[in-house]
Amino acid sequence: MALLNSVLSWLMKKRIHQIELFMKYPHDVQTEWFKKLITSARDTEWGKMYDFKSIASYEEFKKRVPVSDYDALKPYIDRVRAGEQNILWNTEIKWFAKSSGTTSDKSKFIPVSNESLEECHFKAGKDLLSIYCNNHPDTNIFEGKGLGMGGSHTFREVNNELYYDGDLSAILIQNLPFWAEFLRTPQLSIALMDEWESKIDQMAKATAIENVTNIAGVPSWTLLLMKHILQITGKSDISEVWPNLEVFFHGGVSFHPYRRQFNEIISSPNVNYMETYNASEGFFGIQDLSGNDSMLLMLDYGIFYEFSEVNMDGSISSKTITLDQVVPGINYAVIISTNGGLWRYLIGDTIVFTSTMPYRIRITGRTRHFINAFGEELIVDNAEKAFDTACSRCAAIVSEYTGAPVYFEQGKNGAHEWLVEFEKAPENLEYFTEIFDNALKALNSDYEAKRYHNMILNLPIITEVPQGTFYNWLKLKGKLGGQNKVPRLSNNRQYIDEIKQLLNP
């Protein structure tokens, strides 16, 4: 295994040269991909509808092709799912990544082409390891196994052909080369189970006896697995179970609310944490610098990027710009065109650029996940940082939370209500609330203005809920699993009222 570790580490480092090239020539790389995508799809139904053959510039592309969300593309995607081909992309598509994005009942089915598998998702997986090996030349990561929190998939037969729907993680695991199976755990029969509670138990039993050196997954569900492993092994620290664990590649949700919980159960100072920005629609960013929570925007994955500024009222500007026009510090909505057949697709995430030489980003939230009932423009990034500050000051640990507005009624001012599940509750919740409120004021001038002398907004209402509340809510909605996330912010009270109803039927 030591020899294999040396060979694989060397191969991974070779990719660094290519990464350095797109960091040095980002605009050239994006222009090249724009031309490749337009050329590849020119004879598809979509390409003919917008006459891709005659598009010679981005400006022309922008004039002809509208910005679309999932609902706009759904009729075309449904046709591909029904067996039609050459609709959005020129090669055969049989895999569809099922994604809820939030706890909404509506599922999305994102087409996954062979090109997007190879040139985006698998390439990103290799790049994660390449960057890690480059930053840690003495790594022994390949002397053990990688643990992946896989999802499940189902198949449909259409015109004697099989089509597959499932979590992106399941699609990736199912399509891995045979030799990769020797480097991962658990076995496929467990990794692809669809009953989540049984799956966690089986994964814990199977992986607790392995030499796990690296983990990839969503923090919330990975933490649940680790706690179950400690429970069945009787250990108090994951380092006792996996002494050679080196790195956790995390993504899907912000790591900030979970960092303290991970530190509580992993005492080893040798474990590294690397953030990724990946979704069913594509893989977008990798944290390439230790100690810097910004992520390098990956520019050669078959994705052409556009951006729209998010206005003060939470709406998205109709003006779209390309990479060369972005400004650090501005909140942008991300728009992508991909080698999976998504065209000018609004993915629903918001980011800020922290640097343009090279292009590094930080996720700030979702276009639909904010609170702006009173003009306060509160985004997820504000809430994450405020909870982080309050936890630091009060020696508390937050497991999960969600927030929503409390509307004006009977002459009372509005407020924000927060349901919080603590791993370690503060000794004084009132003081915790005060710190949280002051942190939000420092982070968000609009919130501060609305809180001035309680003229519009009163002090936040933070209610501690029992451990397991959010898990039980997701279970009740049939939304257990890595693709499902607790919505952090909502501009209406649907989620928060559902949870309160669950607690007090």
Coordinates of all heavy atoms in Angstrom, one line a residue, residues 284-354:
F284 N -18.2 23.1 -8.7 CA -17.8 24.5 -9.0 C -16.5 25.0 -8.3 O -15.8 25.8 -8.8 CB -18.9 25.4 -8.7 CG -20.2 25.0 -9.2 CD1 -21.3 24.8 -8.4 CD2 -20.4 24.8 -10.6 CE1 -22.5 24.3 -8.9 CE2 -21.6 24.4 -11.1 CZ -22.7 24.1 -10.3
G285 N -16.3 24.6 -7.0 CA -15.2 25.2 -6.3 C -14.5 24.2 -5.3 O -15.1 23.3 -4.8
I286 N -13.2 24.4 -5.1 CA -12.5 23.6 -4.1 C -11.6 24.6 -3.3 O -10.9 25.5 -3.8 CB -11.5 22.6 -4.8 CG1 -12.3 21.6 -5.7 CG2 -10.6 21.9 -3.9 CD1 -11.5 20.7 -6.5
Q287 N -11.6 24.4 -2.0 CA -10.7 25.1 -1.1 C -9.3 24.7 -1.3 O -8.9 23.6 -1.0 CB -11.2 24.9 0.4 CG -10.4 25.7 1.4 CD -10.8 25.3 2.8 OE1 -11.7 24.6 3.0 NE2 -10.1 25.9 3.8
D288 N -8.5 25.6 -1.9 CA -7.1 25.2 -2.2 C -6.1 25.7 -1.3 O -4.9 25.3 -1.4 CB -6.8 25.7 -3.7 CG -6.9 27.2 -3.8 OD1 -7.7 27.8 -3.2 OD2 -6.0 27.7 -4.5
L289 N -6.5 26.6 -0.4 CA -5.5 27.1 0.6 C -5.9 26.8 2.0 O -7.0 27.0 2.4 CB -5.4 28.7 0.4 CG -5.0 29.2 -0.9 CD1 -5.1 30.8 -0.9 CD2 -3.6 28.8 -1.3
S290 N -4.9 26.2 2.8 CA -5.2 25.9 4.2 C -5.4 27.2 4.9 O -4.7 28.2 4.7 CB -4.1 25.1 4.7 OG -3.9 23.9 4.0
G291 N -6.4 27.2 5.8 CA -6.6 28.4 6.7 C -7.3 29.5 6.0 O -7.5 30.6 6.5
N292 N -7.8 29.3 4.7 CA -8.5 30.3 4.0 C -9.8 29.6 3.5 O -9.8 28.7 2.8 CB -7.7 30.8 2.8 CG -8.4 31.9 2.1 OD1 -9.6 32.0 2.0 ND2 -7.6 32.8 1.5
D293 N -11.0 30.1 4.0 CA -12.2 29.4 3.7 C -12.8 29.8 2.3 O -13.9 29.3 1.9 CB -13.3 29.7 4.7 CG -13.7 31.2 4.8 OD1 -13.2 32.0 4.1 OD2 -14.6 31.5 5.6
S294 N -12.1 30.6 1.5 CA -12.5 30.8 0.1 C -12.1 29.6 -0.7 O -11.3 28.8 -0.4 CB -11.7 32.0 -0.5 OG -12.1 33.2 0.2
M295 N -12.9 29.4 -1.8 CA -12.7 28.3 -2.7 C -12.2 28.7 -4.1 O -12.7 29.8 -4.6 CB -13.9 27.4 -2.8 CG -14.3 26.7 -1.6 SD -15.9 25.8 -1.7 CE -17.0 27.2 -1.4
L296 N -11.3 28.0 -4.7 CA -10.9 28.3 -6.0 C -12.0 27.9 -7.0 O -12.5 26.8 -7.0 CB -9.6 27.5 -6.4 CG -9.0 27.7 -7.7 CD1 -8.4 29.1 -7.9 CD2 -7.9 26.7 -8.0
L297 N -12.5 28.9 -7.8 CA -13.5 28.6 -8.9 C -12.8 27.8 -10.0 O -11.9 28.2 -10.6 CB -14.0 29.9 -9.4 CG -15.2 29.7 -10.4 CD1 -16.4 29.2 -9.6 CD2 -15.6 31.1 -11.0
M298 N -13.3 26.5 -10.2 CA -12.7 25.6 -11.1 C -13.3 25.9 -12.5 O -14.5 25.8 -12.8 CB -13.0 24.2 -10.7 CG -12.7 23.9 -9.3 SD -11.0 24.3 -8.8 CE -10.1 22.9 -9.7
L299 N -12.4 26.3 -13.4 CA -12.8 26.9 -14.7 C -12.7 26.0 -15.9 O -13.1 26.4 -17.0 CB -12.0 28.2 -15.0 CG -12.1 29.2 -13.9 CD1 -11.1 30.4 -14.2 CD2 -13.5 29.7 -13.7
D300 N -12.3 24.7 -15.7 CA -12.1 23.9 -16.9 C -12.9 22.6 -16.7 O -12.4 21.5 -17.1 CB -10.6 23.6 -17.2 CG -9.9 22.8 -16.1 OD1 -10.5 22.7 -15.0 OD2 -8.8 22.3 -16.3
Y301 N -14.1 22.7 -16.2 CA -15.0 21.5 -15.9 C -16.1 21.4 -16.9 O -17.1 20.8 -16.6 CB -15.5 21.6 -14.5 CG -14.5 21.2 -13.4 CD1 -14.9 21.2 -12.1 CD2 -13.2 20.8 -13.7 CE1 -14.1 20.9 -11.1 CE2 -12.3 20.5 -12.7 CZ -12.8 20.5 -11.4 OH -11.9 20.2 -10.4
G302 N -16.0 22.1 -18.1 CA -17.2 22.0 -19.0 C -18.3 22.9 -18.6 O -19.5 22.7 -19.0
I303 N -18.0 24.0 -17.8 CA -19.0 24.9 -17.4 C -18.6 26.3 -17.8 O -17.5 26.7 -17.5 CB -19.2 24.8 -15.8 CG1 -19.6 23.4 -15.4 CG2 -20.2 25.9 -15.3 CD1 -19.6 23.2 -13.9
F304 N -19.6 27.0 -18.4 CA -19.4 28.5 -18.7 C -20.2 29.3 -17.7 O -21.4 29.0 -17.5 CB -19.8 28.8 -20.1 CG -19.7 30.2 -20.4 CD1 -18.5 30.8 -20.6 CD2 -20.9 31.0 -20.6 CE1 -18.4 32.2 -20.9 CE2 -20.8 32.4 -20.9 CZ -19.6 32.9 -21.1
Y305 N -19.5 30.2 -17.0 CA -20.1 31.0 -15.9 C -20.6 32.3 -16.3 O -20.0 33.0 -17.1 CB -19.1 31.1 -14.8 CG -18.8 29.9 -14.0 CD1 -17.6 29.2 -14.3 CD2 -19.6 29.4 -13.0 CE1 -17.3 28.0 -13.7 CE2 -19.3 28.2 -12.4 CZ -18.1 27.5 -12.7 OH -17.8 26.4 -12.0
E306 N -21.8 32.7 -15.8 CA -22.3 34.1 -15.8 C -22.7 34.4 -14.4 O -23.0 33.6 -13.6 CB -23.4 34.2 -16.8 CG -23.1 33.9 -18.2 CD -24.4 34.0 -19.1 OE1 -24.8 35.1 -19.4 OE2 -24.9 32.9 -19.4
F307 N -22.9 35.7 -14.1 CA -23.3 36.2 -12.8 C -24.2 37.4 -12.9 O -24.1 38.2 -13.8 CB -22.0 36.6 -12.0 CG -21.0 35.5 -12.0 CD1 -20.0 35.5 -12.9 CD2 -21.0 34.5 -11.0 CE1 -19.0 34.6 -12.9 CE2 -20.0 33.5 -11.0 CZ -19.0 33.5 -12.0
S308 N -25.2 37.4 -12.0 CA -26.1 38.5 -11.9 C -26.1 39.1 -10.4 O -26.2 38.3 -9.5 CB -27.5 38.1 -12.2 OG -27.7 38.0 -13.6
E309 N -26.0 40.4 -10.3 CA -25.9 41.0 -9.0 C -27.3 40.8 -8.3 O -28.3 41.0 -8.9 CB -25.5 42.4 -9.1 CG -25.3 43.1 -7.7 CD -24.7 44.5 -7.9 OE1 -24.2 44.8 -9.0 OE2 -24.8 45.3 -6.9
V310 N -27.2 40.5 -7.0 CA -28.4 40.4 -6.1 C -28.7 41.8 -5.6 O -27.8 42.4 -4.9 CB -28.2 39.4 -5.0 CG1 -29.5 39.3 -4.2 CG2 -27.8 38.0 -5.6
N311 N -29.9 42.3 -5.9 CA -30.2 43.7 -5.5 C -30.5 43.8 -4.0 O -30.7 42.7 -3.3 CB -31.5 44.1 -6.3 CG -31.2 44.2 -7.8 OD1 -30.1 44.7 -8.2 ND2 -32.2 43.8 -8.6
M312 N -30.7 45.0 -3.5 CA -30.9 45.2 -2.1 C -32.2 44.6 -1.6 O -32.3 44.2 -0.4 CB -31.0 46.7 -1.8 CG -29.6 47.5 -2.0 SD -28.4 47.0 -0.8 CE -29.0 47.7 0.7
D313 N -33.2 44.4 -2.5 CA -34.5 43.9 -2.1 C -34.5 42.3 -2.2 O -35.5 41.7 -2.1 CB -35.6 44.5 -2.9 CG -35.5 44.2 -4.4 OD1 -34.5 43.6 -4.8 OD2 -36.4 44.7 -5.1
G314 N -33.4 41.8 -2.6 CA -33.3 40.3 -2.7 C -33.6 39.8 -4.1 O -33.4 38.7 -4.4
S315 N -34.0 40.7 -5.0 CA -34.3 40.4 -6.4 C -32.9 40.2 -7.2 O -31.9 40.7 -6.7 CB -35.2 41.4 -7.1 OG -34.5 42.6 -7.2
I316 N -33.0 39.6 -8.3 CA -31.8 39.4 -9.1 C -31.8 40.3 -10.3 O -32.8 40.5 -11.0 CB -31.7 37.9 -9.6 CG1 -31.6 37.0 -8.4 CG2 -30.5 37.7 -10.5 CD1 -31.8 35.6 -8.7
S317 N -30.7 41.0 -10.5 CA -30.6 42.0 -11.6 C -30.7 41.2 -12.9 O -30.3 40.1 -13.1 CB -29.2 42.6 -11.6 OG -29.0 43.4 -12.8
S318 N -31.4 41.9 -13.9 CA -31.5 41.3 -15.2 C -30.2 41.4 -16.0 O -30.1 40.7 -17.0 CB -32.6 42.1 -16.0 OG -32.3 43.5 -16.1
K319 N -29.3 42.2 -15.6 CA -28.0 42.3 -16.2 C -27.1 41.1 -15.9 O -26.9 40.9 -14.7 CB -27.3 43.6 -15.9 CG -26.0 43.8 -16.6 CD -25.3 45.1 -16.1 CE -23.9 45.2 -16.7 NZ -23.2 46.4 -16.2
T320 N -26.6 40.4 -16.8 CA -25.7 39.3 -16.6 C -24.3 39.7 -17.0 O -24.1 40.4 -18.0 CB -26.1 38.0 -17.3 OG1 -26.2 38.3 -18.7 CG2 -27.4 37.6 -16.7
I321 N -23.3 39.2 -16.3 CA -21.9 39.6 -16.7 C -21.1 38.3 -16.7 O -21.5 37.3 -16.1 CB -21.3 40.6 -15.7 CG1 -21.3 40.0 -14.3 CG2 -22.0 41.9 -15.7 CD1 -20.6 40.9 -13.2
T322 N -19.9 38.4 -17.3 CA -19.0 37.2 -17.3 C -17.9 37.4 -16.3 O -17.8 38.4 -15.6 CB -18.4 37.1 -18.7 OG1 -17.9 38.4 -19.2 CG2 -19.4 36.5 -19.7
L323 N -17.0 36.4 -16.2 CA -16.0 36.4 -15.2 C -15.1 37.6 -15.1 O -14.8 38.1 -14.0 CB -15.2 35.1 -15.4 CG -14.3 34.7 -14.2 CD1 -15.1 34.3 -13.0 CD2 -13.4 33.5 -14.7
D324 N -14.8 38.1 -16.3 CA -13.9 39.2 -16.3 C -14.5 40.5 -15.8 O -13.7 41.5 -15.6 CB -13.4 39.5 -17.8 CG -14.5 39.7 -18.7 OD1 -15.5 38.9 -18.7 OD2 -14.5 40.7 -19.5
Q325 N -15.8 40.6 -15.5 CA -16.4 41.8 -15.1 C -16.8 41.8 -13.6 O -17.3 42.8 -13.1 CB -17.7 42.0 -15.9 CG -17.4 42.2 -17.4 CD -18.7 42.3 -18.2 OE1 -19.4 41.3 -18.3 NE2 -19.1 43.4 -18.7
V326 N -16.6 40.7 -12.9 CA -17.0 40.6 -11.5 C -16.1 41.5 -10.6 O -15.0 41.7 -10.9 CB -17.0 39.1 -11.0 CG1 -17.9 38.3 -11.8 CG2 -15.6 38.5 -11.0
V327 N -16.7 41.9 -9.5 CA -16.1 42.7 -8.5 C -16.1 42.0 -7.1 O -17.2 41.5 -6.7 CB -16.8 44.1 -8.4 CG1 -16.1 44.9 -7.3 CG2 -16.8 44.8 -9.7
P328 N -15.0 41.9 -6.4 CA -15.0 41.3 -5.1 C -15.9 42.0 -4.2 O -16.1 43.2 -4.2 CB -13.5 41.5 -4.6 CG -12.7 41.5 -5.9 CD -13.6 42.3 -6.9
G329 N -16.6 41.2 -3.3 CA -17.5 41.8 -2.3 C -18.9 42.0 -2.7 O -19.8 42.2 -1.8
I330 N -19.2 41.8 -4.0 CA -20.6 41.9 -4.5 C -21.3 40.6 -4.4 O -20.7 39.5 -4.7 CB -20.6 42.5 -5.9 CG1 -20.0 43.8 -6.0 CG2 -22.1 42.5 -6.4 CD1 -20.7 44.9 -5.3
N331 N -22.5 40.6 -3.9 CA -23.3 39.3 -3.8 C -23.9 39.0 -5.2 O -24.7 39.8 -5.8 CB -24.4 39.5 -2.8 CG -24.8 38.2 -2.2 OD1 -24.0 37.3 -2.0 ND2 -26.0 38.1 -1.7
Y332 N -23.5 37.9 -5.8 CA -23.9 37.5 -7.1 C -24.7 36.2 -7.1 O -24.4 35.3 -6.3 CB -22.7 37.3 -8.1 CG -21.9 38.5 -8.4 CD1 -20.6 38.7 -7.9 CD2 -22.4 39.5 -9.3 CE1 -19.9 39.8 -8.3 CE2 -21.7 40.6 -9.6 CZ -20.4 40.7 -9.1 OH -19.7 41.8 -9.5
A333 N -25.7 36.1 -8.0 CA -26.4 34.8 -8.3 C -25.6 34.2 -9.4 O -25.1 34.8 -10.3 CB -27.8 35.1 -8.7
V334 N -25.4 32.8 -9.3 CA -24.6 32.1 -10.3 C -25.5 31.5 -11.4 O -26.5 30.9 -11.1 CB -23.9 30.9 -9.6 CG1 -23.0 30.2 -10.6 CG2 -23.1 31.5 -8.4
I335 N -25.1 31.7 -12.6 CA -25.7 31.2 -13.8 C -24.8 30.3 -14.6 O -23.6 30.8 -14.8 CB -26.3 32.4 -14.7 CG1 -27.3 33.2 -13.9 CG2 -26.9 31.8 -16.0 CD1 -27.6 34.6 -14.6
I336 N -25.2 29.1 -15.0 CA -24.2 28.2 -15.7 C -24.8 27.7 -17.0 O -26.0 27.5 -17.1 CB -23.9 27.0 -14.8 CG1 -25.1 26.3 -14.3 CG2 -23.1 27.5 -13.5 CD1 -24.8 25.0 -13.6
S337 N -23.9 27.4 -17.9 CA -24.2 26.6 -19.1 C -23.2 25.5 -19.1 O -22.0 25.7 -18.9 CB -24.0 27.4 -20.4 OG -25.0 28.5 -20.5
T338 N -23.7 24.2 -19.3 CA -22.9 23.1 -18.9 C -22.9 22.0 -20.0 O -23.8 22.0 -20.9 CB -23.4 22.4 -17.7 OG1 -24.6 21.6 -17.9 CG2 -23.7 23.4 -16.6
N339 N -21.9 21.1 -19.9 CA -21.9 19.9 -20.8 C -22.8 18.8 -20.4 O -22.7 17.7 -20.8 CB -20.4 19.4 -20.9 CG -19.8 19.1 -19.6 OD1 -20.5 19.1 -18.5 ND2 -18.5 18.8 -19.6
G340 N -23.8 19.2 -19.7 CA -24.9 18.3 -19.4 C -26.2 18.8 -20.0 O -27.3 18.2 -19.8
G341 N -26.1 19.9 -20.7 CA -27.3 20.5 -21.3 C -28.1 21.5 -20.5 O -29.3 21.7 -20.9
L342 N -27.5 22.1 -19.5 CA -28.2 23.2 -18.8 C -27.7 24.5 -19.5 O -26.5 24.7 -19.6 CB -27.8 23.2 -17.4 CG -28.2 21.9 -16.6 CD1 -27.7 22.0 -15.1 CD2 -29.7 21.7 -16.6
W343 N -28.7 25.3 -19.9 CA -28.3 26.6 -20.7 C -28.8 27.8 -19.9 O -29.9 28.0 -19.7 CB -28.9 26.5 -22.1 CG -28.3 25.4 -22.9 CD1 -29.0 24.2 -23.1 CD2 -27.0 25.3 -23.4 NE1 -28.1 23.4 -23.8 CE2 -26.9 24.0 -24.0 CE3 -26.0 26.2 -23.5 CZ2 -25.8 23.6 -24.7 CZ3 -24.8 25.8 -24.1 CH2 -24.7 24.5 -24.8
R344 N -27.8 28.6 -19.5 CA -28.0 29.9 -18.8 C -28.9 29.5 -17.6 O -30.0 30.2 -17.4 CB -28.6 30.9 -19.7 CG -27.8 31.3 -20.9 CD -28.1 32.7 -21.5 NE -27.5 33.7 -20.6 CZ -27.9 35.0 -20.6 NH1 -29.0 35.3 -21.3 NH2 -27.3 35.8 -19.8
Y345 N -28.5 28.5 -16.9 CA -29.3 28.0 -15.8 C -29.0 28.7 -14.4 O -27.9 28.7 -14.0 CB -29.1 26.5 -15.7 CG -29.9 25.7 -14.6 CD1 -31.1 25.3 -14.9 CD2 -29.3 25.5 -13.4 CE1 -31.9 24.6 -14.0 CE2 -30.0 24.8 -12.4 CZ -31.3 24.3 -12.7 OH -32.0 23.6 -11.8
L346 N -30.0 29.2 -13.8 CA -29.9 29.9 -12.5 C -29.9 28.8 -11.4 O -31.0 28.2 -11.2 CB -31.0 30.9 -12.3 CG -31.0 31.8 -11.1 CD1 -29.8 32.8 -11.2 CD2 -32.3 32.6 -11.0
I347 N -28.8 28.5 -10.8 CA -28.7 27.4 -9.9 C -29.3 27.7 -8.5 O -29.5 26.8 -7.7 CB -27.3 26.8 -9.8 CG1 -26.3 27.9 -9.2 CG2 -26.8 26.3 -11.1 CD1 -25.0 27.3 -8.9
G348 N -29.5 29.0 -8.2 CA -30.1 29.3 -6.9 C -29.2 29.6 -5.8 O -29.6 30.0 -4.7
D349 N -27.8 29.6 -6.1 CA -26.9 29.9 -5.1 C -26.4 31.4 -5.2 O -26.3 31.9 -6.4 CB -25.6 29.0 -5.2 CG -26.0 27.6 -4.8 OD1 -26.9 27.4 -4.0 OD2 -25.3 26.7 -5.3
T350 N -26.0 32.0 -4.1 CA -25.3 33.3 -4.2 C -23.9 33.2 -3.7 O -23.7 32.4 -2.7 CB -26.1 34.3 -3.4 OG1 -26.2 33.9 -2.0 CG2 -27.5 34.5 -4.0
I351 N -23.0 33.9 -4.3 CA -21.6 33.9 -3.9 C -21.0 35.3 -3.9 O -21.6 36.2 -4.4 CB -20.8 33.0 -4.9 CG1 -20.8 33.7 -6.3 CG2 -21.3 31.6 -4.9 CD1 -19.7 33.2 -7.2
V352 N -19.9 35.4 -3.2 CA -19.1 36.7 -3.4 C -17.7 36.2 -3.8 O -17.2 35.1 -3.4 CB -19.0 37.5 -2.1 CG1 -20.3 38.0 -1.7 CG2 -18.4 36.7 -0.9
F353 N -17.1 37.0 -4.6 CA -15.7 36.8 -4.9 C -14.8 37.4 -3.9 O -14.9 38.6 -3.5 CB -15.4 37.4 -6.3 CG -15.9 36.6 -7.5 CD1 -17.2 36.7 -7.9 CD2 -15.1 35.6 -8.0 CE1 -17.6 36.0 -9.0 CE2 -15.5 34.8 -9.1 CZ -16.8 35.0 -9.6
T354 N -13.9 36.7 -3.4 CA -12.9 37.2 -2.4 C -11.6 37.6 -3.0 O -10.8 38.3 -2.4 CB -12.6 36.1 -1.3 OG1 -12.1 34.9 -2.0 CG2 -13.9 35.7 -0.6

